[in-house]
Amino acid sequence: MSTVQQPELTGGPLSLLSEMEVDYESLPTENMGIHMFAGAAAGIMEHCVMYPVDIVKTRMQSLRPRTGAVYNGGIFSAIRSMVRSEGLLIPFRGMNIVAAGAGPAHALYFSSYEFSKRILSSEKTGHHHVAHGVAGAIATVIHDGFMTPVDVIKQRMQVYGSPYRGTLHCMLSIFRIEGFFAFYRSYTTQLTMNIPFQCTNFIIYETCRRQLNPEGHYDPRTHMIAGAAAGITASAATTPLDVAKTLLNTQEASVRHEQNYIRGMLNALRIIYIQNGLLGYFKGMWPRIVYQMPATAICWSVYELFKHLLNSDHRQAHGA
């Protein structure tokens, strides 16, 4: 009886919060269903909330932009220009395929990351940078295998003057004219970019999270700040490869010359240098950072939120 009444005398809510803080880090790692659901929600939010900035980034990375797609006044000025000249919905063109693909891709991404991290880490080693980096690389290989075709369709829809009526028309046209390989033309470049991107993302996020929140309890502010820091660092470092990926995905006609199609990361990097010099490797870096900073913060925050909520349901269902 006295043990039941004790929390009320000493601040029961604080005691309950303390239990939740301990449980948050330790409970759900083995439950892949929780990580898949939380990852799917995080992926959809990440890609859709910041989508208009992503379309600006794609257009600013064009090596020879057409007259109507030259944007000199910044990101929001570019969006206003698009809306005035192309219609109100143009900043969201292609978002439907991204929303459809990001859910399952991020479900696989986060669940494979958590599974790999659990296998590679041990409780005795604590915070393990190598384990987080390797787990991030494994998750990226799986994620990019699913998302590379989605990115091809998305960026073909995003470019100025896109000839496609919709995402289905775009997908069928690419398959009919260029073949199945066209959907994976940028896969090696995507991996070369995203493996260091995601390794950096996970390492910076986990490091910042543990520095800001040593107790390991659920803290939205910590997840937001750590996610933003990870997004800034990873996106700035990998911009040159992102420019190459955009060129391979969009197959910009004005720079192909005698080539039927641009193939291979090194070939794309060579063409970028010929067309724009060293500065060409950093085209669209600012909108990329502006996109990735909040997008990564949103992704981690939503993931941690759903993991926290689902863990609470898991505890209640098992009488914990």
Side-chain angles (χ1 to χ4, degrees):
M1 293 289 287
S2 59
T3 55
V4 174
Q5 294 174 353
Q6 182 66 24
E8 296 181 11
L9 297 173
T10 60
L14 293 177
S15 176
L16 179 60
L17 179 59
S18 177
E19 291 177 12
M20 291 174 65
E21 289 171 356
V22 172
D23 288 345
Y24 175 70
E25 281 292 296
S26 61
L27 247 178
T29 309
E30 299 81 5
N31 194 323
M32 288 298 106
I34 287 177
H35 295 303
M36 293 186 78
F37 189 89
I44 293 170
M45 287 292 291
E46 172 194 359
H47 286 280
C48 292
V49 170
M50 297 303 296
Y51 191 83
V53 178
D54 186 53
I55 196 170
V56 173
K57 184 216 70 166
T58 295
R59 293 191 178 193
M60 284 187 172
Q61 287 180 338
S62 173
L63 301 185
R64 285 189 179 179
R66 292 162 62 179
T67 304
V70 177
Y71 309 110
N72 298 317
I75 297 169
F76 296 107
S77 174
I79 294 173
R80 284 196 300 269
S81 177
M82 287 182 203
V83 170
R84 281 198 303 267
S85 60
E86 302 172 66
L88 183 64
L89 297 180
I90 200 66
F92 303 97
R93 197 164 198 265
M95 190 173 77
N96 55 342
I97 187 68
V98 173
H106 278 69
L108 293 171
Y109 175 70
F110 277 106
S111 59
S112 59
Y113 169 70
E114 295 284 357
F115 178 78
S116 301
K117 184 176 72 171
R118 181 165 59 89
I119 296 298
L120 295 168
S121 302
S122 76
E123 293 180 2
K124 295 179 181 179
T125 60
H127 186 39
H128 202 303
H129 294 300
V130 175
H132 294 151
V134 173
I138 293 170
T140 300
V141 171
I142 296 171
H143 170 272
D144 285 3
F146 197 95
M147 278 299 288
T148 297
V150 173
D151 274 342
V152 173
I153 298 168
K154 175 197 76 173
Q155 292 198 295
R156 295 286 182 102
M157 295 290 292
Q158 287 178 333
V159 296
Y160 180 80
S162 174
Y164 307 109
R165 296 189 299 270
T167 53
L168 182 60
H169 178 231
C170 178
M171 180 178 67
L172 294 176
S173 297
I174 293 171
F175 180 76
R176 184 175 63 253
I177 298 170
E178 302 175 47
F180 178 78
F181 175 75
F183 294 109
Y184 285 93
R185 192 178 281 130
S186 67
Y187 182 58
T188 54
T189 305
Q190 188 106 331
L191 282 179
T192 305
M193 174 184 71
N194 279 344
I195 287 178
F197 179 98
Q198 297 300 352
C199 289
T200 303
N201 177 16
F202 283 116
I203 291 170
I204 296 294
Y205 176 78
E206 296 281 4
T207 301
C208 291
R209 182 176 65 83
R210 289 178 181 270
Q211 288 293 323
L212 295 170
N213 183 16
E215 297 83 5
H217 59 78
Y218 174 68
D219 179 19
R221 186 177 67 90
T222 292
H223 303 315
M224 186 72 71
I225 294 172
I232 292 171
T233 308
S235 60
T238 56
T239 295
L241 291 170
D242 190 56
V243 179
K245 182 207 75 172
T246 296
L247 179 59
L248 289 168
N249 281 348
T250 60
Q251 293 292 306
E252 196 173 343
S254 60
V255 301
R256 274 192 277 164
H257 300 305
E258 71 280 357
Q259 300 185 50
N260 288 329
Y261 297 108
I262 300 169
R263 293 186 172 90
M265 178 182 68
L266 295 179
N267 187 31
L269 292 170
R270 181 183 63 84
I271 291 172
I272 293 167
Y273 182 77
I274 291 171
Q275 294 292 325
N276 293 98
L278 288 174
L279 291 178
Y281 295 124
F282 299 94
K283 289 177 74 69
M285 185 172 75
W286 176 240
R288 176 169 163 77
I289 290 173
V290 171
Y291 169 80
Q292 287 292 349
M293 179 181 68
T296 309
I298 290 167
C299 182
W300 278 114
S301 298
V302 173
Y303 175 69
E304 298 284 7
L305 171 64
F306 273 84
K307 191 170 76 168
H308 175 64
L309 294 175
L310 291 169
N311 289 343
S312 300
D313 291 344
H314 180 79
R315 283 193 299 268
Q316 293 174 5
H318 289 78

